[in-house]
Amino acid sequence: MGSTNSTLLKIPNVEVLMQETGFSPAHIIRLHDRFKALDKEGRGYLCPQDFGAIKELAMNPIGDRIIGAFFSPGKETVDFHAFVKILAHFRPVDKDRPKEPNSPEPINSRSNKLKFAFQLYDQDKDGKISRDELLKVLRAMLGMQVTEEQLESIADRTIQEADLDRDDAISFEEFRKSLEKVNIDHKMSIRFLR
Amino acid sequence: MKMLLLLLLLGFGCGLVFCDQNTSDPHGRRVFPVLSINYDYVQMPFEVSLWILLASLMKLGFHLIPRLSGVVPESCLLIVVGLLVGGLIRVMGKNPPVLDSQLFFLCLLPPIILDAGYFLPIRPFTENAGTILTFAVVGTLWNAFFVGAALYGVCRLESGRLASFDLLSCLLFGSIVSAVDPVAVLAVFEEIHINELLHILVFGESLLNDAVTVVLYHLFEEFAHAGAVTAGDVFLGVVCFFVVALGGVMVGAVYGVLAAFTSRFTSHTRVIEPLFVFLYSYMAYLSAEVFHLSGIMALIACGVVMRPYVEANISHKSYTTIKYFLKMWSSVSETLIFIFLGVSTVAGPHAWNWTFVTITIFLCLLSRVLGVVGLTYIINKYRMVKLSGKDQFIVAYGGLRGAIAFSLAFLLSRDDFPMKDMFLTAIITVIFFTVFVQGMTIRPLVDLLAVKKRKQSKCSINEEIHTQFLEHLLAGIEGVCGHYGHHHWRDKLNRFNKHYIKRCLIGGERSQEPKLISFYNKMELKQALMLLESNSSANLSTAVTAAVPRQRSRKTLNISKEREEEIRKILRANLQKTRQRLRSYSRHTLMPDAEDDDWSETLLRKQRVEMERRMSHFLTVPARRESPPARRAPVESDSRALAARPSVLISISDETSDGPRESRGRKPSVKFALDAEEQKLPRCLSDPGPDQLPEEDEEHIHQTD
């Protein structure tokens, strides 16, 4: 217990962090260790190269998008707070937490999870997934095995299905609606972070 | 209607009675027999066929009676029929046949299990694998020991006949009666359409508990022979469990891989493709049974392993054949099993003992409830989607016993177990109780408790894409966290599968095709067919083609610029939205190739048909329109409806003046492609699984053969 307390004390504003994200001290410690392991030069922040060193991300078709999601627009570094805040999206939802009417929505609510996923699609941050953005994602996921035409027809079909206001792009509401039958709490949670 | 059924029963009973009679001509010098009867020659196949015919006619009959099938599950009705038939045979003076265990285990059970295993929904199964295994293994063990020990306690207290029961017999009885039966569960749950999670939990449990049941059964049987039980024996029993379960799975997996590999080379002998699937699976089952491994798990493993590869390799027709044959056999098997259960009830020697039977039923229910509640409490700590009270109730209530328990009891030898008759009677009573009482009441209870039903959702490409995206996302996040979780391993498995296994087991180009593409193609196919159906219904008697996804070839067509502009203007004025992507679906002249089904054809046609519906009032395209014969209507309408490709529109309108539709000339038009494809035999949808079955039935009504 002594070592955990001392580690916790080393992290600035750890109380606020735990309050915002809902992580327990044990989780914060674990994430801190992981952060330190990634931050090989001990600078206290991570840059894209550190993420790039993770093997799984390199092999992942949307690895670069995930890395991009950690960095706020314009910034080149991510500190521990931001790191934990992003990962907080993937905490399993606590069903038994009492809903205080004045507190902001927890980071790991269904809506916020969906917003996070939406932002990964919507790289130019205009609030819509355009056909091109969708094509890019499909190309990344399907790789070289399909022809351009197939990709285009899939993209067309996808937009046709989801697009309700006929603006040829998928807005966040439409995105949310198309996933209403999917159990997002289950699909976007990592048990490790409970 | 009811008279018909009664007559049927009567006729059948009489038939069976006459079965045994031998007619021969006894006298010396006889006239040349113009007509003679030799029943012995065909007796065996005749009787078997008669039984199966009866079973199928009964099934037909139930669905003709209006409200019956809604209230009473089929299994109950079949047992009642079995009772009636058994009673009839008894009345006629013969001894009704009993459900022969060998027949049951070797002929009747495998089709049902194969059907279940081949169409097992893999994703929910693997997501809930931990829960299912816990219920299957720990739950069954708890049930067996609880029932056995409690029964022993009761027998000790009771005087008279029951006092002779020793602990081992009681434990054996407990292990036989505690296993949830897949046949009964399938039969009842099929009709109530509860949500996928509950269905897979109960059903998965019923499949996997076979390993436990086999081990316990053999264990206690051996011990009954041996007499004394040592700690070493118990330890060996535990080892045996792992051997039986894992051995069964491995045997099944090996045969599955063999089947997948064989299917890679069957492109020239499409006709026997289904045969390989059935044979390899059956061999897996039999091989596992040779070593007393769990045959059910072998069969499930075989089906699960071979399915993705075999489906990529075989033709659509073979796929449909496999599906319908499996459904047919499993349906017949199930019917026969229940009828035989009824007949055996009338036949078998019974030893009724009020105490034993009522205590058994009570204990079964109690142990089931306690087991489920207790296990769920522990399991919920590890689950992300917790099981609510309602779910637990359904899981507990859905623990039906069935014919497997009966057959296992029937196999007991009377020397070791003098109380075999009492066991049989008790087991039959438990089976009746669960099937009748629980089976009949579960449907109104499901409605009453408002348990979530199975979602009848159309498959959506959005969901598919986003789900895959999320899987990649989570695998990546797990990488960031440094945590090797569920998604990481699944990702690794998929990659391994893609790089190595698929190369070996899937022939040709299909090995490269990603899942999303096949999903998309299937969806397009379905929609194309649906649109065509709704468009033409009675008129379209021509065949519908299914496009096997292959690499598309690029095709282009030339058109005149101003024609194109004209058409586009008209369309723009009348449609809500026009897509001016003229060049994106361009095509060359089409060469007839009997083997090459072009996926894009269907896409083209689908879009045309869709447009046609929208534009039917508006557009006046300069093409011949005078009332074409009914069969040509779709082509004409298709030709009108090209919003996105006026190019092809033009060429078709030029071609309509040509000869009959069936002309086989080499015309550079899409219309020709229609002809070519129509000449081919109709092919059917490739459907992902049993859920789609009713939908496909309707479509088949419209298709010609």
Side-chain angles (χ1 to χ4, degrees):
Chain A
M1 262 327 264
S3 64
T4 34
N5 267 335
S6 62
T7 328
L8 272 178
L9 287 173
K10 278 197 218 135
I11 308 168
N13 296 331
V14 72
E15 305 291 323
V16 177
L17 196 59
M18 287 202 295
Q19 177 72 13
E20 276 179 351
T21 60
F23 278 126
S24 67
H27 282 127
I28 302 278
I29 307 277
R30 244 189 296 187
L31 289 175
H32 190 76
D33 290 337
R34 179 65 182 166
F35 186 82
K36 284 224 290 271
L38 287 175
D39 179 19
K40 295 196 177 60
E41 294 164 27
R43 288 168 301 189
Y45 55 83
L46 295 174
C47 51
Q49 288 83 347
D50 295 322
F51 280 104
I54 305 174
K55 211 161 35 100
E56 286 83 19
L57 278 184
M59 284 200 292
N60 198 309
I62 54 170
D64 44 355
R65 286 173 192 250
I66 300 178
I67 298 177
F70 277 91
F71 297 89
S72 339
K75 290 187 67 178
E76 281 293 311
T77 61
V78 56
D79 63 352
F80 184 62
H81 273 247
F83 183 74
V84 172
K85 282 225 195 87
I86 299 282
L87 287 182
H89 281 104
F90 296 94
R91 259 189 76 231
V93 173
D94 333 281
K95 285 218 177 97
D96 33 325
R97 206 198 236 193
K99 281 211 188 100
E100 297 127 33
N102 294 329
S103 65
E105 218 178 323
I107 302 185
N108 63 343
S109 72
R110 188 173 196 274
S111 172
N112 280 331
K113 284 188 205 267
L114 279 175
K115 269 205 202 111
F116 185 78
F118 188 76
Q119 274 159 10
L120 283 178
Y121 274 102
D122 181 22
Q123 295 286 38
D124 57 3
K125 311 250 185 286
D126 61 352
K128 291 181 184 302
I129 305 176
S130 68
R131 191 169 164 269
D132 283 324
E133 287 169 341
L134 192 58
L135 266 178
K136 280 208 207 88
V137 171
L138 284 174
R139 214 171 281 135
M141 286 207 297
L142 295 174
M144 309 276 37
Q145 301 147 356
V146 291
T147 61
E148 199 56 38
E149 284 183 353
Q150 278 177 313
L151 281 179
E152 289 191 11
S153 43
I154 294 181
D156 285 333
R157 176 68 190 240
T158 310
I159 294 190
Q160 191 185 22
E161 235 182 45
D163 195 11
L164 300 166
D165 54 5
R166 306 225 170 260
D167 58 354
D168 212 16
I170 305 180
S171 69
F172 179 64
E173 278 311 309
E174 289 160 359
F175 181 72
R176 189 214 292 261
K177 192 154 196 308
S178 70
L179 284 179
E180 63 188 353
K181 296 211 181 81
V182 175
N183 189 348
I184 293 292
D185 299 336
H186 183 65
K187 281 244 169 322
M188 275 192 76
S189 301
I190 299 187
R191 210 169 295 188
F192 165 77
L193 296 172
R194 188 195 299 271
Chain B
M1 193 65 251
K2 305 184 179 126
M3 291 307 291
L4 200 63
L5 283 176
L6 275 173
L7 275 174
L8 220 59
L9 270 177
L10 209 58
F12 178 73
C14 294
L16 275 181
V17 169
F18 290 132
C19 278
D20 288 335
Q21 290 179 9
N22 233 335
T23 55
S24 61
D25 230 341
H27 303 295
R29 190 206 175 278
R30 17 179 251 203
V31 184
F32 182 78
V34 174
L35 195 63
S36 56
I37 300 180
N38 184 0
Y39 184 66
D40 281 337
Y41 184 58
V42 295
Q43 179 178 1
M44 174 61 169
F46 192 83
E47 283 180 6
V48 170
S49 309
L50 209 52
W51 273 108
I52 299 182
L53 192 59
L54 167 80
S56 316
L57 287 172
M58 284 297 124
K59 237 173 139 69
L60 269 184
F62 293 148
H63 291 283
L64 291 176
I65 302 177
R67 278 180 311 151
L68 199 59
S69 46
V71 176
V72 186
E74 225 173 67
S75 37
C76 303
L77 292 170
L78 289 170
I79 294 186
V80 169
V81 166
L83 286 173
L84 286 175
V85 170
L88 253 168
I89 299 179
R90 213 351 105 84
V91 158
M92 303 272 182
K94 296 284 165 188
N95 219 8
V98 191
L99 181 60
D100 178 28
S101 288
Q102 198 178 28
L103 174 73
F104 175 72
F105 279 114
L106 293 183
C107 298
L108 293 179
L109 192 58
I112 302 180
I113 304 297
L114 181 60
D115 179 42
Y118 194 78
F119 293 113
L120 195 67
I122 286 298
R123 187 168 287 183
F125 188 76
T126 47
E127 279 175 9
N128 296 297
T131 314
I132 294 177
L133 274 174
T134 315
F135 277 131
V137 176
V138 181
T140 313
L141 281 174
W142 155 259
N143 279 350
F145 282 103
F146 182 75
V147 172
L151 215 52
Y152 181 64
V154 167
C155 291
R156 278 272 142 257
L157 292 173
E158 181 81 7
S159 58
R161 287 206 56 195
L162 293 181
S164 62
F165 289 9
D166 57 333
L167 182 62
L168 269 175
S169 313
C170 290
L171 283 175
L172 178 60
F173 179 72
S175 68
I176 295 178
V177 87
S178 64
V180 177
D181 186 80
V183 180
V185 164
L186 263 179
V188 169
F189 273 47
E190 274 290 297
E191 301 178 359
I192 61 178
H193 300 301
I194 50 170
N195 64 48
E196 206 176 45
L197 171 67
L198 287 178
H199 187 242
I200 198 72
L201 279 182
V202 183
F203 183 58
E205 179 197 345
S206 69
L207 289 177
L208 294 186
N209 68 17
D210 179 61
V212 181
T213 312
V214 165
V215 171
L216 283 178
Y217 182 78
H218 287 298
L219 209 64
F220 289 133
E221 226 189 353
E222 281 297 312
F223 289 170
H225 271 294
V229 180
T230 65
D233 289 331
V234 174
F235 173 70
L236 281 179
V238 173
V239 172
C240 184
F241 166 69
F242 284 106
V243 167
V244 161
L246 295 174
V249 169
M250 260 189 4
V251 167
V254 165
Y255 274 100
V257 168
L258 280 176
F261 192 64
T262 312
S263 70
R264 186 181 168 177
F265 302 107
T266 54
S267 44
H268 298 291
T269 46
R270 294 274 184 207
V271 192
I272 54 174
E273 269 171 347
L275 198 59
F276 285 117
V277 171
F278 300 139
L279 283 177
Y280 275 112
S281 315
Y282 196 48
M283 292 285 287
Y285 180 76
L286 294 176
S287 311
E289 288 289 324
V290 165
F291 299 103
H292 277 258
L293 303 174
S294 167
I296 290 185
M297 294 189 78
L299 211 45
I300 303 282
C302 186
V304 164
V305 165
M306 80 176 156
R307 186 181 176 196
Y309 310 109
V310 161
E311 276 189 12
N313 281 330
I314 60 179
S315 68
H316 282 267
K317 272 195 279 190
S318 300
Y319 175 78
T320 313
T321 310
I322 291 179
K323 186 161 91 151
Y324 278 99
F325 257 93
L326 281 179
K327 297 278 168 215
M328 183 185 79
W329 273 331
S330 66
S331 174
V332 168
S333 280
E334 197 180 287
T335 317
L336 278 177
I337 288 177
F338 283 116
I339 290 188
F340 264 116
L341 261 182
V343 173
S344 308
T345 312
V346 176
H350 287 297
W352 180 268
N353 182 314
W354 275 103
T355 329
F356 193 70
V357 171
T358 46
I359 293 288
T360 309
I361 297 183
F362 174 69
L363 282 176
C364 282
L365 283 174
L366 184 67
S367 75
R368 177 84 184 153
V369 169
L370 287 178
V372 168
V373 170
L375 283 175
T376 315
Y377 179 70
I378 302 177
I379 290 173
N380 267 347
K381 298 209 168 89
Y382 298 97
R383 278 182 68 89
M384 282 212 272
V385 178
K386 312 222 185 282
L387 294 176
S388 66
K390 270 194 274 190
D391 296 335
Q392 290 174 42
F393 176 75
I394 296 291
V395 170
Y397 207 65
L400 306 173
R401 311 320 198 250
I404 292 187
F406 178 80
S407 308
L408 282 177
F410 201 72
L411 278 175
L412 293 173
S413 75
R414 220 171 275 266
D415 314 315
D416 295 325
F417 300 97
M419 65 293 279
K420 176 176 164 181
D421 295 331
M422 207 179 294
F423 282 177
L424 276 175
T425 314
I427 287 181
I428 288 188
T429 320
V430 171
I431 296 178
F432 271 44
F433 181 81
T434 55
V435 172
F436 278 95
V437 174
Q438 286 178 240
M440 276 205 272
T441 53
I442 200 167
R443 194 182 307 187
L445 276 172
V446 161
D447 290 333
L448 195 69
L449 292 174
V451 177
K452 271 191 291 190
K453 295 284 186 87
R454 187 185 306 169
K455 297 179 275 208
Q456 295 289 343
S457 58
K458 321 183 295 184
C459 44
S460 145
I461 188 137
N462 267 284
E463 278 181 24
E464 188 68 25
I465 293 181
H466 297 319
T467 317
Q468 271 201 22
F469 184 82
L470 289 177
E471 276 177 20
H472 286 302
L473 173 62
L474 282 211
I477 296 286
E478 278 187 1
V480 169
C481 292
H483 168 65
Y484 290 147
H486 190 52
H487 295 92
H488 175 87
W489 292 118
R490 185 198 281 175
D491 208 41
K492 261 207 153 113
L493 185 67
N494 281 340
R495 219 171 291 141
F496 179 66
N497 193 13
K498 193 163 71 159
H499 287 312
Y500 302 112
I501 303 190
K502 276 195 180 163
R503 292 249 175 83
C504 299
L505 296 179
I506 301 183
E509 316 164 323
R510 301 255 216 122
S511 56
Q512 302 297 330
E513 187 182 78
K515 192 169 74 120
L516 193 61
I517 296 290
S518 25
F519 180 85
Y520 175 67
N521 288 338
K522 278 189 195 155
M523 261 181 63
E524 288 290 298
L525 227 56
K526 248 185 236 171
Q527 188 165 16
L529 289 174
M530 257 168 34
L531 282 172
L532 272 171
E533 293 285 324
S534 60
N535 211 31
S536 50
S537 54
N539 288 339
L540 189 61
S541 54
T542 54
V544 176
T545 64
V548 171
R550 310 247 177 191
Q551 295 289 44
R552 298 170 47 177
S553 44
R554 310 195 66 98
K555 302 167 178 85
T556 49
L557 251 183
N558 298 320
I559 33 93
S560 72
K561 273 284 177 184
E562 73 251 4
R563 212 78 197 273
E564 188 187 323
E565 212 22 65
E566 200 178 328
I567 300 289
R568 221 189 268 160
K569 247 194 295 182
I570 298 174
L571 291 174
R572 214 176 293 149
N574 289 304
L575 284 180
Q576 272 182 314
K577 174 163 76 161
T578 58
R579 294 229 164 124
Q580 298 173 21
R581 294 181 293 109
L582 208 52
R583 298 276 175 257
S584 59
Y585 297 105
S586 45
R587 329 180 62 127
H588 287 297
T589 12
L590 295 170
M591 304 296 281
D593 185 355
E595 288 293 273
D596 206 58
D597 306 332
D598 203 345
W599 164 98
S600 49
E601 294 282 22
T602 349
L603 182 60
L604 181 66
R605 203 174 332 147
K606 173 212 87 174
Q607 288 207 345
R608 273 189 273 127
V609 169
E610 195 179 356
M611 285 301 155
E612 182 271 326
R613 268 195 312 179
R614 283 199 235 161
M615 290 168 45
S616 51
H617 333 302
F618 300 130
L619 196 58
T620 55
V621 172
R624 260 188 21 177
R625 204 127 272 87
E626 56 286 312
S627 50
R631 292 191 82 206
R632 299 186 61 159
V635 180
E636 301 288 297
S637 59
D638 288 353
S639 67
R640 270 186 282 143
L642 289 174
R645 35 207 89 92
S647 49
V648 191
L649 178 91
I650 304 300
S651 62
I652 279 193
S653 55
D654 288 340
E655 303 293 344
T656 49
S657 48
D658 293 337
R661 228 159 155 228
E662 276 76 15
S663 67
R664 298 290 251 122
R666 294 181 171 233
K667 283 176 253 180
S669 72
V670 179
K671 175 178 147 232
F672 170 76
L674 282 176
D675 291 342
E677 288 163 9
E678 279 147 25
Q679 301 306 320
K680 283 183 258 176
L681 291 172
R683 293 156 132 250
C684 310
L685 285 177
S686 64
D687 260 338
D691 299 353
Q692 314 288 338
L693 198 57
E695 192 187 8
E696 205 185 77
D697 282 343
E698 293 168 63
E699 285 163 356
H700 276 278
I701 296 173
H702 297 298
Q703 289 176 7
T704 51
D705 240 19

